[in-house]
Amino acid sequence: MKKQLFNQMEQSEATFAKMAKEIWDNPQIGYEETFAFELQKNFLAEQGFRITTGSGDIATAFVAEWGTGAPIIGFLGEFDALPGFSQRTTATLSPIVEGGPGHGCGHNLLGTAGVEAVVALKNTMEAEKIVGTIRYYGCPAEELLSGKSYMARAGVFDDLDIVYTWHPGTFNMVVHPSMQALTGVEFFFSGRTAHAAGAPHLGRSALDGVEIMNVGSNYLREHVPDGSRIHYQITNGGLAPNIVPDKASVYYFLRGATRDAVDDLLRRLIRVAEGAAHMTETTVRWEIRSGCYDSLPNMTLNNQMYAQWQEIPPIDFTEEEQAYAKALQQSIEPSVLAGANHQLAMMGVDVSQLFTKEPLNIPQLFRQSMPGSSDLGDVSWIAPLGQVTTVCAPHGVQVHTWQATSSFGTSIGMKGMHYAAKTMAGAALDSLLNPEIIVNARAEFDRLRAGKEYICAIPDNVMPPKSVPVKV
Ligand SMILES: [Zn+2]
């Protein structure tokens, strides 16, 4: 049955490569992904999936469902692009639109592999009369770290038995490490305007509040748990040097190994902000913009996905693809490449090759915190999550670079995507046929959660941009 599933997927590769390329050709940033939303939603509706749009009150979110009864198996998709990473499929820097968005994180591939997996599964389930429900989640705005959090807050993941996802990368590996929890929070200082030369004593500078807050947070940095991250951007610094600014704002990201650690960092940062307001005789208020969980990996599902790789032939790259990959790798600044290769070598990856094909499963990384955050963390606290990365670019290429946009638009990216789609579909088929996999995954999930219930970290009164009601 597995062979049939994979054979079928090989027949339909061109359809999904076309879908991923069309999304790559039409990159849109978070909450504006109307192109990918329409394309994937309409395609899955034609394939007989039941569609719900507006999940989590987000205009570009949808859920596509097929089948009936238990188990309910989910697949997470993403399709947002990044600002400023427009790039042709060349090995030299060449934006299609200067300063325009591009798929530098490969979400054109990420979502499409999920669509590819559910369509193949649906055909197999129909032919073999397999009972169960499969769902593709079209999740917007991963780069803004909030699409899935809003969807989770609305409860769309609550009845899932298990869930699978993946991410484009430069090696085939199950994702045992845990990503960091994050809170995005913007602080708004208010003071009193005055002529900066004529009557400075009458002014109370909101920008002073921001600057003193930033000094305070840089002192806080020394006294936070290892692995925490504090970064900020001044979003409003006033209007002109000769006006004492009455309004100024600063946007912070706080990251840490656990949700509780980040909540505590936020509590301390608020005290810093209040102290700065006190010193400058200004006032401060804040708005939470995003709040995602650390990811809770599931070894049962990760190992199950790894086992698929014994049944799927490794990705092969043509001479032409190898030549392009070599040129792309040579475009990376040597110290950046050396740093990236060092990191990979520490994980046991053979970086002397352009691509690593050998599947990696490194158990000692289990639950080790790694830098970076994703809103998939929220889902991983609601249902057991299995996750892999696959080779969609040569060694040394970092996501969120023009080289990544380039590679994710080529046949190299597409091959990695098909490999991921087969991995997820094969694992899900096994789970449909062997209920004990789900029982084991859930037992591990309950053990790791240790009684902690998921409560969305975004306050109830904060709504996603461009909110819409749910449509079934
Ligand atoms: Zn990404």
Side-chain angles (χ1 to χ4, degrees):
M1 203 183 297
K2 188 74 76 62
K3 267 241 145 11
Q4 276 174 335
L5 174 80
F6 291 156
N7 285 343
Q8 182 210 138
M9 293 182 84
E10 277 149 31
Q11 303 304 312
S12 60
E13 279 182 354
T15 303
F16 297 100
K18 183 168 170 279
M19 179 183 282
K21 188 61 173 34
E22 280 178 9
I23 296 171
W24 188 92
D25 284 333
N26 294 276
Q28 292 170 310
I29 60 166
Y31 296 116
E32 295 179 7
E33 317 93 323
T34 49
F35 182 86
F37 164 77
E38 291 292 340
L39 183 68
Q40 293 189 346
K41 166 180 76 76
N42 295 342
F43 180 85
L44 286 167
E46 275 166 31
Q47 298 288 317
F49 282 73
R50 300 180 290 275
I51 308 288
T52 308
T53 62
S55 325
D57 297 310
I58 307 168
T60 49
F62 74 98
V63 182
E65 181 184 84
W66 187 88
T68 49
I72 307 176
I73 300 182
F75 299 83
L76 300 180
E78 296 165 9
F79 33 56
D80 58 328
L82 286 158
F85 284 115
S86 174
Q87 169 65 28
R88 293 184 171 81
T89 53
T90 54
T92 51
L93 177 64
S94 175
I96 299 168
V97 178
E98 196 66 53
H103 274 288
C105 208
H107 295 180
N108 61 311
L109 307 171
L110 204 167
T112 306
V115 177
E116 192 172 358
V118 290
V119 168
L121 266 179
K122 177 223 150 192
N123 292 337
T124 304
M125 289 170 74
E126 209 164 29
E128 305 289 339
K129 302 196 176 1
I130 299 170
V131 177
T133 305
I134 50 171
R135 276 190 206 145
Y136 171 76
Y137 288 89
C139 306
E142 190 281 330
E143 297 296 351
L144 300 171
L145 298 148
S146 56
K148 293 184 202 71
S149 306
Y150 288 115
M151 293 170 79
R153 190 174 74 181
V156 303
F157 304 111
D158 285 356
D159 59 350
L160 282 178
D161 286 295
I162 52 170
V163 57
Y164 295 103
T165 194
W166 77 292
H167 201 285
T170 57
F171 42 91
N172 303 313
M173 190 177 88
V174 296
V175 182
H176 286 317
S178 172
M179 298 185 84
Q180 293 172 304
L182 173 142
T183 285
V185 52
E186 191 165 0
F187 291 85
F188 300 90
F189 284 81
S190 295
R192 192 165 67 225
T193 187
H195 192 294
H201 57 290
L202 297 179
R204 295 293 178 269
S205 170
L207 182 60
D208 287 357
V210 164
E211 290 193 89
I212 292 172
M213 175 182 177
N214 293 346
V215 170
S217 74
N218 285 321
Y219 275 92
L220 175 66
R221 207 182 282 286
E222 191 186 347
H223 306 286
V224 297
D226 277 352
S228 304
R229 294 281 189 279
I230 302 173
H231 19 248
Y232 58 77
Q233 167 207 8
I234 295 177
T235 43
N236 176 11
L239 298 171
N242 60 354
I243 306 170
V244 173
D246 63 337
K247 298 272 181 254
S249 52
V250 58
Y251 185 16
Y252 270 80
F253 274 10
L254 304 173
R255 304 183 200 246
T258 64
R259 187 64 250 162
D260 290 345
V262 174
D263 287 342
D264 195 51
L265 265 187
L266 176 63
R267 182 190 63 77
R268 295 172 75 188
L269 187 67
I270 288 170
R271 294 192 70 134
V272 170
E274 288 172 334
H278 193 69
M279 287 167 78
T280 52
E281 291 194 293
T282 58
T283 58
V284 65
R285 64 180 182 85
W286 52 92
E287 283 175 17
I288 305 283
R289 294 258 182 271
S290 54
C292 62
Y293 273 59
D294 50 300
S295 58
L296 191 68
N298 191 279
M299 209 173 226
T300 308
L301 296 182
N302 281 353
N303 288 340
Q304 189 215 7
M305 292 177 93
Y306 178 72
Q308 301 306 309
W309 288 336
Q310 318 312 315
E311 301 177 42
I312 309 170
I315 308 171
D316 252 330
F317 295 105
T318 62
E319 273 180 30
E320 204 185 343
E321 286 165 342
Q322 302 261 357
Y324 155 83
K326 184 94 209 144
L328 196 65
Q329 200 181 59
Q330 279 165 351
S331 77
I332 301 168
E333 212 267 307
S335 65
V336 173
L337 183 61
N341 280 351
H342 176 70
Q343 236 176 4
L344 292 177
M346 297 287 284
M347 286 162 45
V349 177
D350 177 5
V351 291
S352 66
Q353 310 286 311
L354 261 177
F355 301 104
T356 296
K357 294 182 189 172
E358 172 208 348
L360 301 168
N361 184 350
I362 310 170
Q364 64 266 37
L365 294 178
F366 188 64
R367 286 235 72 190
Q368 264 190 32
S369 189
M370 68 170 175
S373 313
S374 169
D375 55 10
L376 69 78
D378 289 50
V379 185
S380 74
W381 282 86
I382 299 170
L385 173 86
Q387 191 191 3
V388 297
T389 65
T390 70
V391 174
C392 295
H395 278 317
V397 170
Q398 308 281 310
V399 291
H400 297 210
T401 61
W402 66 260
Q403 286 95 343
T405 308
S406 176
S407 196
F408 298 153
T410 68
S411 54
I412 296 173
M414 304 305 160
K415 284 181 177 177
M417 174 183 82
H418 300 314
Y419 195 64
K422 279 183 181 169
T423 310
M424 293 192 292
L429 182 62
D430 284 347
S431 295
L432 284 164
L433 298 174
N434 305 291
E436 73 276 12
I437 295 172
I438 294 175
V439 170
N440 292 342
R442 292 212 67 100
E444 181 191 338
F445 173 71
D446 289 336
R447 207 165 52 240
L448 288 175
R449 266 194 326 169
K452 186 175 170 67
E453 288 296 321
Y454 172 78
I455 299 165
C456 185
I458 303 176
D460 283 347
N461 62 345
V462 178
M463 297 302 289
K466 304 181 191 208
S467 311
V468 294
V470 176
K471 270 201 336 238
V472 181

